[in-house]
Amino acid sequence: MTTEPKNTPPLGRVIVITSGKGGVGKTTSSAAISAGLAKQGFKTVVIDFDVGLRNLDMTMGCERRVVFDFINVIQGDAKLKQALIKDKRVDTLSILPTSQTRDKDALTKDGVEKVLAELKTEFDYIICDSPAGIEHGAQMAMYFADEAVVVTNPEVSSVRDSDRVLGLLSSQTKRAETEGAEPIKAQVLITRYDSTRVENGEMMTVEDVLEILAVPLLGVVPESKAVLRASNVGTPVVLDGPSAAAQAYEDAVSRLIGTSVEMRILGERRAGLFKRLFGRAS
Amino acid sequence: MSLFNFARKKQPKSAQTAKNRLQILLAHERSGGGASETDYLPMLQRDIVAAIRKHVSIGDKDVEVRMERGDEMSSLEINIELPLTGAHKDK
C-alpha cells in the first residue's frame, strides 16, 4: 500500500544516521530506516559515507551490482543516475554505494553538497549512513543534514560518544553555521536493548539514557536475532519477515515521518505475550 | 574449540548464505577485482561513449552500465539509449 500521491514534489529531506562509536548499528539502522520509508511509498535513497570500508552494499544485498560509486560521481567519472542502484525488492528505494579504493579525502564538501542537491530533486528522503568516529567522513555525512538519528546502545562508551556527536551536530553543521536556520532535529535511537537485563538492573534503562543525552527518543530496537539473520542474507531487517526488531524500526520510521506511535519496548522473548495482548494487527 | 564444534553442528541457513556471499565478494576483491575494476569502469564507459559518438550523437547520461558478479563469472551489461533523431549524424 503506497500512501503518498506521486504528483507532489519530492520532500528532499536529508537525515544522517550517526553515533560516534562503531558497531552500535548505524548501517543496520540506515538499511532498516531507508527500507521502511520506501515501503511507505516515499522515494528514498541511502548513501554510504564510509569511504574505503564499503559495507552498506552487503547489508542491502546489492554488493554484486556495484558499478560506480559516490566518489565516482563527486569526481565526475560517472553520472549520479549511473551510480544509483535500484533495490530489487522495493521500487522506491535506491542505494548509493561508496568507494572502496579511494580515501575519505575524496569526500569534498562541495562534492557532497552537489550530489545531495541533485538527489533532493528526486527523492523524499536521503539517508546518510555515517562512518564511525568524528573524523572527516562522519563530518561530511552530518554537515548538510536536516535531521539526525543518533544510534546509541545502553552502554557507557556508546552514550558518551553519542553525547559528543550531539555536540557536533549542534555546532559543526551547515544548519548550525547558518544564522537563523532551524537547528538539526536530532533524535536518539536506542538499539540492542535487552529488557530482561534492564529488569535485572544490568543495563541502563531508556529513561537513564534519555536523561543523560536530553534529546527526544525516536525508538527502541530490542536485541534481536533477526538483525544478524537479515545481515547474513543481505536484507534490511524490515523486509526480512516479522520480528521485534523489524516492528521497532517500523515504529521509528512512522515517528520519523511525523505519525505519532505509542512508544513500546518489544523484546524477542516478549513478542509472544505482546501479540497475545494486542492481536496480530500488522 | 567447543565453540567451533557447536557452530558447525547446527549452522542455520542464513549463516551459510552469509559465508557464500562473503566468499564470492572477497574472491573478487582479493584478485584485484575490487580495486582495479572500479577504476577501469569509468574509463571503459568514456571509451564506449566516444566510439559511439563517432556515429551517433548521445549524451553522457544515455549510457547505463550494469554489473552482476557471480562466483563463476561476472557479466557486464551496457545499455545505450539512442536518440530518435541522432541516428543519421552525417549531414
Side-chain angles (χ1 to χ4, degrees), chain A residues 58-281:
Chain A
M58 280 222 99
T59 310
M60 298 295 293
C62 64
E63 73 275 7
R64 296 204 212 178
R65 296 164 62 209
V66 176
V67 180
F68 298 122
D69 57 54
F70 192 18
I71 303 303
N72 288 143
V73 178
I74 287 178
Q75 297 183 335
D77 291 328
K79 299 284 171 217
L80 182 57
K81 187 187 134 201
Q82 297 165 333
L84 287 174
I85 302 174
K86 277 204 140 222
D87 190 271
K88 285 185 172 170
R89 297 151 298 211
V90 190
D91 62 357
T92 43
L93 180 60
S94 294
I95 300 114
L96 183 55
T98 194
S99 168
Q100 202 165 22
T101 53
R102 316 299 169 86
D103 59 50
K104 58 185 186 303
D105 295 330
L107 220 49
T108 61
K109 203 181 261 186
D110 287 347
V112 174
E113 185 169 30
K114 246 192 222 161
V115 173
L116 290 178
E118 201 178 336
L119 289 171
K120 280 183 186 188
T121 64
E122 205 189 320
F123 291 94
D124 293 313
Y125 287 101
I126 299 146
I127 306 297
C128 303
D129 181 22
S130 172
I134 49 172
E135 300 296 313
H136 185 71
Q139 284 170 17
M140 287 302 103
M142 70 168 70
Y143 190 78
F144 297 102
D146 300 308
E147 282 184 51
V149 173
V150 179
V151 182
T152 308
N153 293 163
E155 176 273 329
V156 287
S157 52
S158 174
V159 175
R160 180 197 196 181
D161 290 358
S162 291
D163 190 64
R164 274 299 295 285
V165 163
L166 285 164
L168 293 176
L169 285 166
S170 59
S171 62
Q172 311 282 311
T173 53
K174 185 157 191 218
R175 278 179 179 269
E177 288 168 5
T178 311
E179 211 162 313
E182 210 176 297
I184 289 184
K185 184 180 174 193
Q187 290 172 283
V188 166
L189 179 70
I190 298 177
T191 56
R192 309 203 70 164
Y193 192 80
D194 186 332
S195 344
T196 312
R197 303 197 73 182
V198 169
E199 273 165 34
N200 294 341
E202 298 167 10
M203 184 180 265
M204 281 185 281
T205 66
V206 171
E207 292 74 25
D208 291 338
V209 175
L210 292 180
E211 189 189 322
I212 294 164
L213 294 177
V215 281
L217 177 67
L218 180 67
V220 181
V221 181
E223 176 76 53
S224 165
K225 286 181 179 173
V227 172
L228 178 60
R229 208 207 93 84
S231 124
N232 279 345
V233 298
T235 306
V237 72
V238 296
L239 301 179
D240 194 39
S243 67
Q247 186 61 61
Y249 276 116
E250 304 257 19
D251 284 0
V253 165
S254 295
R255 290 182 199 109
L256 210 51
I257 61 171
T259 314
S260 100
V261 179
E262 197 195 338
M263 197 61 72
R264 46 185 174 175
I265 296 166
L266 307 161
E268 281 282 88
R269 294 172 54 206
R270 307 193 145 220
L273 174 68
F274 187 84
K275 271 183 186 152
R276 253 177 281 142
L277 284 173
F278 294 92
R280 289 164 191 273

Side-chain angles (χ1 to χ4, degrees), chain B residues 38-81:
Chain B
T38 38
D39 285 348
Y40 86 70
L41 281 169
M43 290 182 283
L44 174 68
Q45 184 187 307
R46 229 171 290 151
D47 292 350
I48 291 170
V49 172
I52 293 168
R53 275 199 186 136
K54 282 183 190 166
H55 311 284
V56 188
S57 90
I58 53 163
D60 290 346
K61 284 189 181 177
D62 298 335
V63 178
E64 193 187 337
V65 184
R66 265 189 267 172
M67 182 125 204
E68 186 76 53
R69 293 175 186 79
D71 38 2
E72 302 268 293
M73 56 163 225
S74 300
S75 69
L76 192 64
E77 186 187 321
I78 298 167
N79 284 315
I80 297 147
E81 214 174 285

